[in-house]
Amino acid sequence: MKPFYRDCFPPFLQPGERLIIASDYCHNAALPFVPAGLRTPRTPSPLEQRVRGALGNALGKVTKPLGPAINNRLANNPVTRAVSGSAGNSAPRPVSGEGETVATYAAGDFGGNGGRRPDRDLSEAVFEVQETIEDAAADALEHMMYGKPMEGGWSSMAGRFLVDLTNAGDEPRFQALTDRRLIVLVNRNKSWLDGTPKCDLGVAVPRTNIARVTAHSKAVTKGRFDVTFVDGSWIALGSLHRENMEGVVAAFNQGV
C-alpha cells in the first residue's frame, strides 16, 4: 500500500476504524448514467460563478443590440407578412378543393393528421430509430470491452452506491477497504497549477452489506473487480494497476 494512497484516508476514518488497504480508483466507463431525477443539483464553485457571470455580461452586450434589428427584419419580411396576414384574416382564402387555407398550411395543420405534418412525423420516427440503434451498438461495444458493469435497479444497494458516488460530485480518485467499510474518495481540487488532491468523502458502505469481492476475468480490464452486495446486486469497480485490485480482493476474502 503506497503512502500516497494511504495518507488520504485517516481524516475519513471513524474512531477505532483500521485501514486495511488503499489504492487508486479507476472509473468503469461502461457504468450507466444516473437518471436526472436521482441527481442532486450541484452548486457551482465560486470560480464557475465568476466565469458564468463574465460570459453572461459579454453575451448580453452582444445580443441586446441584435434584438430590435432581428424583430424589425422579421416584421418587414415579405414571407412573414404574408403568413401573418393570412393567419389573421377572418375569411381565409381556400387553396384546394377540400377547403384548406393558407393559414392552415402555414400553421402546419393538415386536418386529419392532428395538426402535425406527415413528413415531420416520419422524419422524427426515423431519427428515433437511428438513435436507438446507435445507443444499442454503443452499449454492445462497451459490454464487449468491459463486460456487464452493474446488476440491480437504482433502489438496489449497487444502484444506491452509484447514485451516492455520482451525487458526491467531482472525480472519484481513491478507494480503500477498512475493517468496517469500503470507502471511495473524490478529488475536489480544481487548480490547474497545483495537482495535489483535495479529498472528500464520495461514498462509504459497511462491509456487512458486501457479500463478496471478486476479480474480473476479462484481460482488457486487468484492474477491474466486482463488488456483490447482500441483496444480490453488484457493481464493477477498479484500479489502473492489477496488483492494487488483487490486494483489495485478497484483503476482503481473507477477512482482514
Side-chain angles (χ1 to χ4, degrees), residues 4-53:
F4 180 69
Y5 303 142
R6 180 193 62 212
D7 295 345
C8 298
F9 285 91
F12 305 99
L13 299 181
Q14 299 170 346
E17 187 174 16
R18 182 168 55 92
L19 182 66
I20 304 299
I21 187 169
S23 79
D24 64 309
Y25 176 95
C26 181
H27 182 74
N28 191 311
L31 283 171
F33 287 103
V34 173
L38 298 178
R39 291 174 176 261
T40 301
R42 188 175 66 88
T43 302
S45 67
L47 176 60
E48 289 175 319
Q49 293 177 6
R50 290 197 299 271
V51 170
R52 290 180 181 181

Side-chain angles (χ1 to χ4, degrees), residues 144-225:
M144 181 180 66
M145 292 179 61
Y146 300 104
K148 189 175 181 178
M150 193 175 85
E151 178 67 41
W154 294 114
S155 61
S156 69
M157 288 183 173
R160 293 199 299 270
F161 181 96
L162 185 55
V163 169
D164 291 344
L165 183 57
T166 301
N167 285 335
D170 296 317
E171 177 190 5
R173 184 71 183 275
F174 303 107
Q175 59 191 336
L177 190 68
T178 75
D179 59 343
R180 301 178 188 176
R181 298 179 295 166
L182 171 66
I183 304 173
V184 179
L185 301 182
V186 296
N187 181 19
R188 303 289 191 203
N189 187 6
K190 300 292 195 304
S191 173
W192 297 336
L193 301 177
D194 182 6
T196 304
K198 294 181 179 178
C199 293
D200 196 5
L201 183 64
V203 62
V205 294
R207 285 181 62 158
T208 53
N209 287 357
I210 301 174
R212 59 184 180 274
V213 176
T214 54
H216 195 70
S217 58
K218 283 187 175 289
V220 73
T221 52
K222 293 182 178 179
R224 169 176 166 174
F225 60 94

Side-chain angles (χ1 to χ4, degrees), residues 53-101:
L55 287 175
N57 291 337
L59 290 174
K61 293 177 181 178
V62 171
T63 57
K64 281 181 180 179
L66 296 179
I70 292 173
N71 291 336
N72 289 336
R73 290 184 64 183
L74 286 174
N76 295 323
N77 188 286
V79 176
T80 305
R81 292 201 304 271
V83 172
S84 300
S86 299
N89 193 335
S90 60
R93 180 174 59 86
V95 297
S96 77
E98 298 179 357
E100 292 92 347
T101 64

Side-chain angles (χ1 to χ4, degrees), residues 96-115:
S96 77
E98 298 179 357
E100 292 92 347
T101 64
V102 173
T104 300
Y105 276 81
D109 186 356
F110 282 75
N113 290 305

